[in-house]
Amino acid sequence: MSGVPTGSPGDLKSKDILSYVALGDSFTEGMSDPYPDSDSVPNGRYRGWADRVAEHLAGHVPEVRYANLAIRGRLIAQIRDEQVPRAVEMKPDLVTLCAGGNDILRPGSDPDQVVEIFESMVADLRATGARVVVFTGFDTNWQPVMRHLRGKIATYNMHMRAVADRYGCDVVDVWSMKVLSDSRAWNWDRLHLSSEGHRRLALRVCEVLDLPVDADWNQPWPPPEPRDWRTARQEDLHWAREFLVPWIHRRLTGRSSGDGVPAKRPTLERCEPLPGRERR
């Protein structure tokens, strides 16, 4: 598409004021990574990798203005219609975009059609001159119930990478982050990252943005505690009863976990550095 930038903007650390907008669904909203003091978080209780990246940026740039428009349960067309126009109006320096996961999980969904919507979003965002960071889907091989979706996710990933190449986007290859194939990287619902999973992903995003980090996202996990077969099956039953059945029911009735949930940071607001870290 003519007029669309094909290269990434310059060093983010060279800006006096940096604006950053995060778009997506529950993955970007931050479920399930609660703040230690939820009362201090306007319109939400979750931190997540995007908030952590914004905090890290604030440690290297004089001023960071950050908005997070992501809302749990959003399908890619909803993100296109509700979030992208608002982001375009904000004209940010940096955008992170992760969308399509909820669509791919739905039976009968077509990754070819999903990526067409994805490309239209990327085109609009890159036309503003923003640096756009996109994410591959996770490798679900570790999850027995979700393992059958690997082929569909891999197809979407390949299409998404082609779009990223055409529009000069940065790519966070989550599929290759094998450290996230450990159950400790995930919340009990097995669909949302744990706090430690969000922390590791934030470090990886910072690496892609060429920001210095003082920890290794790929640090091996300590040896897991042994579990017997009966305990593992009880956990599977608990998960199916408390998460899988309600999830299926919402899909059958056309409802979403994000119905009535507002964006936690709907406007660009000043973001402070990580606790205990002064700006450099």
Side-chain angles (χ1 to χ4, degrees):
M1 187 175 296
S2 61
V4 177
T6 57
S8 295
D11 185 1
L12 298 175
K13 302 187 293 297
S14 67
K15 296 181 178 294
D16 292 329
I17 299 176
L18 173 71
S19 54
Y20 164 35
V21 178
L23 308 178
D25 50 32
S26 58
F27 172 72
T28 302
E29 182 187 347
M31 296 177 69
S32 298
D33 180 21
Y35 272 89
D37 180 6
S38 61
D39 293 336
S40 67
V41 184
N43 299 325
R45 301 180 57 184
Y46 294 105
R47 187 183 185 189
W49 65 264
D51 285 20
R52 291 170 182 264
V53 169
E55 293 163 357
H56 196 87
L57 280 164
H60 298 275
V61 178
E63 182 176 342
V64 172
R65 296 174 182 171
Y66 167 55
N68 189 320
L69 307 182
I71 297 177
R72 67 199 71 170
R74 287 299 191 260
L75 299 172
I76 194 167
Q78 294 174 308
I79 296 171
R80 175 198 60 197
D81 297 341
E82 300 170 4
Q83 299 178 26
V84 171
R86 292 167 63 189
V88 169
E89 290 177 0
M90 295 179 188
K91 298 187 184 301
D93 301 300
L94 172 67
V95 175
T96 54
L97 172 64
C98 184
N102 289 321
D103 300 81
I104 298 300
L105 289 177
R106 289 193 166 199
S109 62
D110 184 351
D112 294 349
Q113 295 177 354
V114 175
V115 85
E116 289 180 4
I117 300 176
F118 180 83
E119 180 166 5
S120 71
M121 298 159 67
V122 169
D124 289 345
L125 294 168
R126 286 292 284 135
T128 69
R131 181 174 182 177
V132 177
V133 180
V134 299
F135 298 75
T136 68
F138 290 94
D139 185 354
T140 57
N141 191 43
W142 70 277
Q143 225 288 32
V145 177
M146 301 288 189
R147 188 175 295 154
H148 71 284
L149 294 171
R150 289 187 83 207
K152 187 187 292 188
I153 297 171
T155 300
Y156 183 67
N157 285 350
M158 295 301 294
H159 285 315
M160 185 276 300
R161 279 187 167 278
V163 171
D165 288 344
R166 278 196 294 274
Y167 291 88
C169 301
D170 296 288
V171 178
V172 179
D173 186 5
V174 182
W175 178 283
S176 68
M177 294 178 66
K178 300 307 180 185
V179 72
L180 298 182
S181 296
D182 189 290
S183 61
R184 287 167 289 186
W186 298 85
N187 185 41
W188 69 269
D189 64 12
R190 304 182 185 179
L191 189 61
H192 299 110
L193 291 172
S194 64
S195 291
E196 178 61 13
H198 279 286
R199 186 189 72 85
R200 289 174 182 255
L201 182 58
L203 289 170
R204 179 68 186 116
V205 176
C206 287
E207 284 188 352
V208 170
L209 294 174
D210 296 320
L211 294 171
V213 293
D214 54 8
D216 180 11
W217 61 266
N218 202 30
Q219 180 179 1
W221 296 89
E225 296 182 2
R227 294 186 308 160
D228 58 34
W229 182 89
R230 182 176 181 181
T231 299
R233 298 293 74 74
Q234 287 176 338
E235 290 178 356
D236 289 342
L237 289 173
H238 175 75
W239 172 76
R241 182 176 63 250
E242 299 297 327
F243 175 74
L244 183 59
V245 172
W247 186 86
I248 293 173
H249 180 71
R250 287 197 301 270
R251 296 301 175 274
L252 292 175
T253 57
R255 294 185 297 114
S256 166
S257 58
D259 290 344
V261 177
K264 64 179 179 179
R265 295 180 69 109
T267 59
L268 288 168
E269 303 171 1
R270 186 183 179 97
C271 182
E272 296 301 321
L274 292 166
R277 183 190 297 270
E278 297 181 353
R279 287 186 175 86
R280 299 177 182 178

